[in-house]
Amino acid sequence: MDKGFRRIAFTIMGLTALTVISVGVYLWYNFNARSRLVLVIPETASWFVHVQTKLLRADFAKSSEQPQGIAMLGKTISELPIFKKVKDAGEPGIALYSDVVAFGLDEGTCLALSLTSEERFKEFLKALKKRNLVKGGIDKGKYFYVEFPNAKAYVAFKFKAIVVYKPSDTSADYKNAERAFDVVFAEKTHTMMQNKEVQALYENEPEVVFFARDKAFGLSQSIDFPEMGSAAGDSEHKYVKFAYPTLKASGVVSPLMLVSKSGLPVEVQKCIDPQNRMTAHTALDLMAKILNQSINEISQ
């Protein structure tokens, strides 16, 4: 798995498209979750992470504290070449508070965000092409995609979902990307959301869900954030809750287990207390810092 995208996948605070799916799948998920973006995850994905951004935003709406990582992330994104000439946040057509979904395929890794407007995003890509920040522009019917000229990565979109794809093989060409996008944007009659182990992860409406078919990718878990108050003293003692529905072994799993997969250097004593607990602000800070580090690596 590509190191940069692995970091994004294992923390984020974000693909496949919202394709034509069976009525049964659509109805089931409509009554059991808040975002349809996860419906784009192929049933064959080896792992996925889902960050419910709106829930996180609501949790921290009354907090007077801003984790350092959030400020760093905001600065990094605002300075990316693709956004430097954007005057209005809504101009690219990307949802400002989109959920973030990342998942792994045999071909590579995908990161998904929601679009508010396919047309605005297509115009945004045209502007980037004029600046030589992307190249190509292929309409495959099921999806439209372009390529980043200085990195082995591709961007495709359809049905209000944008997919950033990074091949596992750095020597792979556009044919590899098209094979991946064909899977991502294929008409689905079965999705990952029908997996009972996945359904168990969503039971308590957590803000972050991570699922892996194999423990080599990490341990399936969900992270539930508390609603933060405006008083600093109140927020300092609110901890995130980690749940491991598929874990059969006894014993306490450290909150830093997932963070360790990202490769981000952390000081354990500063991240968890003697009871092996992590505050909501610490968890959000770590998520933002890992994403920030990943973006810096990918954009170089």
Side-chain angles (χ1 to χ4, degrees), residues 3-226:
K3 187 176 180 182
F5 269 72
R6 180 182 63 186
R7 286 200 174 110
I8 291 179
F10 283 111
T11 67
I12 294 213
M13 335 195 75
L15 308 196
T16 355
L18 294 177
T19 57
V20 179
I21 55 178
S22 68
V23 174
V25 176
Y26 176 81
L27 291 178
W28 178 85
Y29 197 71
N30 231 17
F31 285 107
N32 288 274
R34 297 188 177 225
S35 169
R36 297 179 198 167
L37 190 60
V38 289
L39 289 177
V40 300
I41 305 171
E43 189 182 25
T44 55
S46 54
W47 57 266
F48 80 84
V49 63
H50 177 202
V51 180
Q52 303 200 70
T53 309
K54 289 183 180 179
L55 290 181
L56 273 174
R57 185 166 177 261
D59 290 334
F60 286 85
K62 296 181 181 179
S63 175
S64 58
E65 301 176 49
Q66 182 187 62
Q68 182 186 32
I70 295 295
M72 290 171 55
L73 180 60
K75 185 174 185 294
T76 295
I77 293 175
S78 66
E79 293 178 351
L80 288 175
I82 61 171
F83 293 127
K84 276 192 173 180
K85 294 192 177 183
V86 173
K87 298 178 180 179
D88 184 335
E91 184 180 325
I94 301 173
L96 290 177
Y97 300 108
S98 166
D99 277 15
V100 179
V101 174
F103 56 89
L105 303 176
D106 290 339
E107 296 84 358
T109 308
C110 295
L111 176 70
L113 299 170
S114 296
L115 291 178
T116 55
S117 170
E118 289 184 45
E119 287 305 313
R120 282 208 301 272
F121 187 66
K122 198 166 187 176
E123 289 301 313
F124 178 61
L125 291 180
K126 287 181 180 179
L128 294 182
K129 187 175 181 179
K130 290 180 180 178
R131 296 165 57 198
N132 296 317
L133 294 176
V134 299
K135 65 180 182 179
I138 308 298
D139 190 345
K140 299 291 289 187
K142 290 183 179 179
Y143 56 87
F144 180 94
Y145 79 95
V146 298
E147 179 182 354
F148 287 111
N150 299 321
K152 284 294 181 180
Y154 302 80
V155 178
F157 69 93
K158 193 70 174 180
F159 298 116
K160 296 295 179 69
I162 172 179
V163 184
V164 179
Y165 168 70
K166 181 101 172 170
S168 300
D169 183 357
T170 56
S171 64
D173 60 13
Y174 73 94
K175 294 180 180 179
N176 172 280
E178 289 187 356
R179 283 195 296 272
F181 288 139
D182 286 343
V183 173
V184 164
F185 292 99
E187 179 177 339
K188 298 179 181 66
T189 56
H190 292 81
T191 77
M192 187 67 79
M193 294 303 105
Q194 289 173 290
N195 184 312
K196 290 185 178 180
E197 291 185 356
V198 172
Q199 292 176 17
L201 291 167
Y202 282 90
E203 283 185 356
N204 296 316
E205 295 193 19
E207 283 75 0
V208 181
V209 167
F210 174 74
F211 172 78
R213 292 188 182 279
D214 191 306
K215 290 183 180 179
F217 292 104
L219 191 62
S220 296
Q221 61 187 277
S222 60
I223 308 174
D224 186 16
F225 281 71

